[in-house]
Amino acid sequence: MNFVRCDQTPAWALLERHQKAGEWDIRAAFESDPQRFDRFSQSAVGVGVDFSKNPLNDETQTLLHTLAQQCGVADLRDAMFAGEPINTTEQRQVMHWLLRQPAASLGGALAQPLALVHETLDAMLAYAEQVRDDAQISDVVHIGIGGSDLGPQLVVGALHQPDITGKRFHFVSNVDGHELAAVLAGLQAKSTLFLIASKTFTTAETMMNAHSARDWFVRQGGTDTARHFAALTSNRKAAADFGINQCFGFWDWVGGRYSLWSAIGLPIAIALGETGFRQLLAGAHAMDRHFCSQPVQTNLPMRMGLLDVWMRNFQGHATRGIAPYHSGLRRLPAFLQQLEMESNGKSVDRQGHSLSHATAPVLWGEPGTNGQHAFFQMVHQGTTVVPMEFIVVRKATHDLSGHQRALLANAVAQAQALLVGQHDVGGHRHFSGNRPSTFVWLDALTPESLGALIAFYEHRVFVSGAVWGINSFDQFGVELGKTLALDLAKRWDSNDAQGLDGSTAGLLRLLK
Ligand code: F6P
């Protein structure tokens, strides 16, 4: 495949000129166009997005669409969905989408991998039902990190109803024993199921926690490892060497941060049951179809991925705040951090040449309304403009009177305050306004809608990465620190500081 780098396209130069020529007063844009909300909002597969409070106009959109075309974004998308190895640095296919593809719906070379996907899915869902029916298992401890933790944690946190399953879920990721010890303190071996989730089954944190969990289990008198441990991994051999027989596999074409749809999603399947898990997959698949079939003008992940490029490269915003106004979505900021920053935090193109344009912004955030009482001061009046993303759910998942109205009013008010500001008061009480935000909504928080929302974000990140000309599917940037940590761990007891820089040697002396 031959792709033109975004900064070498005619559209890029036109966008630069367009940005310089514009006023970009969002308030004024609303005053002059009563239809602006409708023209810059769109719903697809139950995910609604209002991006009218961003500095863009019709010409911006047209130029961005041309940019996508000149960069070959749709071609790269089609290559991904055709099973071509678009993860070129690792020579791998990128096929997390296949995990949510209906059974027997593809022919050719993808028919067999799809059949394997469904074989594994059926086995995993049958096991999940068995665990759900097992009244003796009251606690499920999921041990994994990064993509083997964040997706399952997000979805279980959003959709699990403990009164229905009668089970508690615990997520342990950190190598800090404080986390595992606190979880184990409240458990009994006979009623605990450990899920060891690691694509590679070599990740240091997960392996250390898995060994400590097994030691604890044995010390507690636990014997039936087959019943109390399951592995979710593409490295079946390592799981067997660890002593786990119950293993659910997946494939090297599933990236860690895209793996919640695979066996890594077993805790989700236990929490939601077979029907719920299949609904989650169906919601994501519907978003896949939308992404693959719609022209750029009505393609929601395309439009938003291109807007992200506009905001990063032409409006110069190096950050985005994520504020889910639903406590069930409290792990969404962390999930999106990995999705976007691990995928697109790169500074070389697919061929390894340095980039002269910016890539992934810094993502961060907290659920609203809590964030309002922490960092929103800076968002409203600080010297750095932070484009905010508000995520709301229209229908409440509880029946406590008054809360939902207060919650949604707060979300809308924050976006309104960022836009309109406050000008009749000076000094400390002055709000500049004209600060951008995007509003995302779901009608209700269901397995389908959450599946569609997550797939929407996956594809949106794909689009900006494709424009930037980077490989969004490797993560070599996490390797150096891992290697150095292993080296330092070896030096810990020998006190060997040879060859270390002065600060590292000093910290080693101090901490050991
Ligand atoms: O931190 C890097 C990373 O490889 C992530 O991409 C991945 O999600 C995480 O580690 C966990 O990896 P594994 O599932 O192999 O334990």
Side-chain angles (χ1 to χ4, degrees):
M1 280 175 292
N2 252 342
F3 293 101
V4 182
R5 236 173 68 174
C6 56
D7 54 338
Q8 288 154 13
T9 60
W12 191 266
L14 290 174
L15 277 159
E16 277 174 336
R17 220 178 303 157
H18 172 65
Q19 194 281 328
K20 284 196 190 102
E23 290 284 328
W24 309 121
D25 185 326
I26 316 170
R27 262 170 321 198
F30 274 101
E31 277 156 27
S32 63
D33 178 6
Q35 305 305 321
R36 184 174 171 85
F37 175 83
D38 295 324
R39 289 195 310 109
F40 296 104
S41 299
Q42 187 188 338
S43 286
V45 197
V47 178
V49 184
D50 163 30
F51 51 97
S52 60
K53 290 199 211 67
N54 283 281
L56 85 165
N57 59 30
D58 288 331
E59 191 185 347
T60 323
Q61 283 212 123
T62 308
L63 288 171
L64 287 170
H65 298 163
T66 311
L67 178 70
Q69 195 247 318
Q70 291 177 355
C71 294
V73 177
D75 294 341
L76 191 67
R77 172 201 65 194
D78 295 346
M80 173 169 77
F81 279 87
E84 288 178 36
I86 64 163
N87 175 355
T88 43
T89 51
E90 299 176 304
Q91 278 310 310
R92 285 183 186 162
Q93 299 163 295
V94 175
M95 298 210 294
H96 47 277
W97 56 270
L98 194 73
L99 300 166
R100 49 230 193 186
Q101 182 77 25
S105 59
L106 294 175
L110 294 177
Q112 204 232 349
L114 181 59
L116 285 176
V117 161
H118 279 274
E119 204 178 287
T120 310
L121 176 65
D122 293 347
M124 166 187 140
L125 293 178
Y127 177 76
E129 288 297 332
Q130 193 185 308
V131 175
R132 278 165 72 86
D133 289 344
D134 188 341
Q136 207 195 317
I137 299 294
S138 58
D139 291 87
V140 178
V141 180
H142 181 90
I143 296 179
I145 197 164
S148 295
D149 165 60
L150 292 163
Q153 220 188 122
L154 166 64
V155 180
V156 170
L159 297 172
H160 176 225
Q161 293 176 283
D163 47 330
I164 292 182
T165 62
K167 303 202 191 295
R168 287 181 293 259
F169 286 81
H170 313 268
F171 290 87
V172 175
S173 52
N174 203 323
V175 76
D176 182 357
H178 186 85
E179 194 173 46
L180 179 62
V183 167
L184 294 177
L187 302 181
Q188 288 189 308
K190 65 174 183 330
S191 54
T192 302
L193 171 66
F194 291 97
L195 304 177
I196 314 299
S198 173
K199 179 178 171 183
T200 54
F201 226 78
T202 57
T203 302
E205 293 92 330
T206 302
M207 289 303 103
M208 187 167 273
N209 280 323
H211 279 105
S212 298
R214 192 179 53 187
D215 292 349
W216 172 88
F217 179 75
V218 172
R219 272 202 315 277
Q220 294 284 313
T223 47
D224 191 356
T225 334
R227 179 161 181 218
H228 292 273
F229 281 80
L232 323 174
T233 183
S234 61
N235 188 352
R236 285 170 174 276
K237 182 176 175 319
D241 292 348
F242 182 90
I244 301 182
N245 304 325
Q246 189 64 261
C247 179
F248 298 97
F250 57 107
W251 303 271
D252 72 352
W253 43 258
V254 183
R257 50 197 175 273
Y258 304 91
S259 64
L260 73 92
W261 323 99
S262 72
I264 293 290
L266 180 58
I268 303 173
I270 298 172
L272 308 187
E274 172 172 1
T275 308
F277 195 82
R278 289 194 190 278
Q279 288 166 343
L280 182 83
L281 297 180
H285 175 66
M287 186 56 78
D288 293 341
R289 284 183 23 219
H290 169 84
F291 181 50
C292 287
S293 62
Q294 287 299 305
V296 63
Q297 292 80 359
T298 52
N299 189 313
L300 194 57
M302 285 272 190
R303 293 178 87 185
M304 293 310 296
L306 291 168
L307 178 63
D308 292 338
V309 171
W310 169 248
M311 295 298 277
R312 180 74 186 97
N313 300 102
F314 300 95
Q315 293 288 337
H317 296 297
T319 181
R320 189 183 324 135
I322 307 291
Y325 275 67
H326 191 298
S327 290
L329 297 175
R330 64 193 163 276
R331 294 301 282 159
L332 186 64
F335 176 82
L336 293 182
Q337 274 179 336
Q338 189 200 16
L339 182 63
E340 188 147 349
M341 293 163 77
E342 194 165 87
S343 298
N344 287 347
K346 315 277 164 73
S347 45
V348 294
D349 67 14
R350 284 190 206 99
Q351 284 71 40
H353 303 132
S354 290
L355 298 175
S356 54
H357 55 270
T359 58
V362 178
L363 263 71
W364 52 280
E366 271 290 310
T369 57
N370 301 28
Q372 292 175 205
H373 299 272
F375 55 79
F376 270 66
Q377 162 65 40
M378 180 270 197
V379 172
H380 287 289
Q381 288 189 317
T383 49
T384 298
V385 172
V386 179
M388 286 301 300
E389 186 142 324
F390 299 96
I391 299 101
V392 302
V393 179
R394 291 171 67 193
K395 191 162 169 282
T397 35
H398 59 82
D399 53 10
L400 297 174
S401 161
H403 287 253
Q404 182 71 356
R405 185 176 47 192
L407 178 75
L408 296 186
N410 268 280
V412 178
Q414 292 302 317
Q416 180 190 18
L418 289 170
L419 172 71
V420 299
Q422 178 168 274
H423 303 272
D424 45 354
V425 202
H428 299 292
R429 293 182 189 277
H430 175 82
F431 289 68
S432 66
N434 207 28
R435 294 191 174 212
S437 67
T438 297
F439 217 86
V440 177
W441 70 87
L442 302 177
D443 285 336
L445 191 55
T446 63
E448 285 103 331
S449 70
L450 187 55
L453 181 74
I454 296 171
F456 157 72
Y457 278 114
E458 287 178 352
H459 296 324
R460 174 174 164 181
V461 168
F462 172 94
V463 169
S464 54
V467 170
W468 287 327
I470 56 186
N471 178 6
S472 299
F473 299 101
D474 61 15
Q475 56 282 322
F476 295 112
V478 302
E479 295 304 330
L480 178 59
K482 287 184 191 172
T483 311
L484 294 179
L486 286 177
D487 173 57
L488 285 176
K490 281 193 205 129
R491 292 171 184 260
W492 220 249
D493 293 328
S494 63
N495 209 11
D496 170 17
Q498 214 186 1
L500 296 180
D501 65 86
S503 170
T504 307
L507 289 171
L508 187 62
R509 268 198 312 278
L510 180 85
L511 294 176
K512 78 174 249 39

